[in-house]
Amino acid sequence: MNLPMPAGDDRIAGVGVWLRSSEMEVVVVTPGRYPVHIVGRLTMDDALQVPHLRATADLELRPWSLSAADLELVREASADDLIPITTVPATFSREAATRFVERQLQRATDRTGYPMVIVRRRDNTPLGSIDLWLKDIDEGRASLGYWVVRSARGHGVAAHALAAMATWALEELHIPRLQLYVEPWNRASIRTAERAGFECEGLLRSWQKVGDRRRDMFMYARLATGTLAEADRVCAVRPQ
């Protein structure tokens, strides 16, 4: 990529990239009167490239596939009462699982998000799912969702995966704000969010329909600028 650099001052303080839903803006930061100089924009019509991310020495995040292992993960999740039916097929069949995986692959093609599988590296076993959704990326924010099947719970898998995904999104994609929603009863998911550096900002009443009921949700967020000062916390209803 050859892009013009600012003339008249060879002192460059830094180079940044701003990711939007349909284009990438490259800027050079200079110490002059107008410190941000836009040097080019790239339109990005190709599918998102879902990366492989190392979460721990034994945990990796990778793209979905139509492998037998990933379809088996969907089967186990479909039988799990704690994984919302809005996420995986309510009744498992190979056809339903295949369609589910194909939808995950399509999200990258449509540039709406980065869906990934959480995998235990030592035996290549899928343990769960984690997603970064870009619906509001033009506003500088993205949403995350995650689940881990029952057989893999209790070992910090979700927290390690969420921390790795969040760090990548903040540091590599330069997204200013990440957010996620947790039902107030779901103490395990609350602990996962907090272990990954997310902070509770408040209760959203009747926020989302899950099954046939509307549910309250806690809003959790992690910011590129760091944590909130104690005086700035606005979570009126704090999970115990």
Side-chain angles (χ1 to χ4, degrees), residues 26 56 60 82 123 172-173:
V26 182
T56 69
E60 181 183 50
L82 294 183
D123 56 5
E172 299 298 324
L173 300 184

Side-chain angles (χ1 to χ4, degrees), residues 20-215:
R20 299 179 184 274
S21 59
S22 60
E23 64 180 19
M24 181 171 65
E25 185 172 88
V26 182
V27 302
V28 172
V29 182
T30 62
R33 179 182 177 187
Y34 301 104
V36 177
H37 179 83
I38 299 173
V39 298
R41 292 183 176 89
L42 298 178
T43 300
M44 299 184 295
D45 295 324
D46 296 335
L48 295 173
Q49 298 302 306
V50 180
H52 289 246
L53 302 177
R54 182 74 62 88
T56 69
D58 197 35
L59 287 178
E60 181 183 50
L61 314 183
R62 62 155 173 81
W64 281 88
S65 73
L66 288 169
S67 66
D70 284 10
L71 296 180
E72 174 60 20
L73 176 67
V74 178
R75 185 203 64 76
E76 187 174 352
S78 296
D80 193 325
D81 292 339
L82 294 183
I83 296 177
I85 59 176
T86 55
T87 303
V88 296
T91 301
F92 176 81
S93 68
R94 185 176 180 83
E95 292 75 18
T98 298
R99 289 195 298 271
F100 170 82
V101 174
E102 288 174 342
R103 287 196 298 274
Q104 309 318 304
L105 300 174
Q106 188 62 40
R107 297 184 202 283
T109 301
D110 294 342
R111 307 187 56 79
T112 59
Y114 292 90
M116 300 190 196
V117 180
I118 308 167
V119 179
R120 186 170 58 214
R121 299 182 70 244
R122 66 177 177 269
D123 56 5
N124 203 31
T125 298
L127 306 176
S129 170
I130 187 164
D131 314 290
L132 178 71
W133 305 123
L134 304 179
K135 176 184 176 183
D136 298 320
I137 193 63
D138 286 344
E139 301 298 330
R141 59 180 180 263
S143 300
L144 296 104
Y146 50 87
W147 50 261
V148 172
V149 291
R150 190 182 307 276
S151 62
R153 291 184 197 136
H155 303 286
V157 169
H160 287 304
L162 180 59
M165 174 76 93
T167 298
W168 173 72
L170 293 169
E171 296 183 0
E172 299 298 324
L173 300 184
H174 304 284
I175 300 174
R177 173 186 170 89
L178 304 177
Q179 59 193 33
L180 56 86
Y181 310 100
V182 184
E183 291 190 67
W185 62 264
N186 196 339
R187 304 301 172 85
S189 192
I190 286 170
R191 289 192 296 270
T192 292
E194 293 180 345
R195 286 182 60 189
F198 286 75
E199 296 178 284
C200 184
E201 294 186 334
L203 180 69
L204 304 173
R205 299 174 60 193
S206 192
W207 177 254
Q208 182 176 338
K209 188 174 182 180
V210 179
D212 58 355
R213 295 179 55 191
R214 296 202 65 81
R215 304 294 183 94

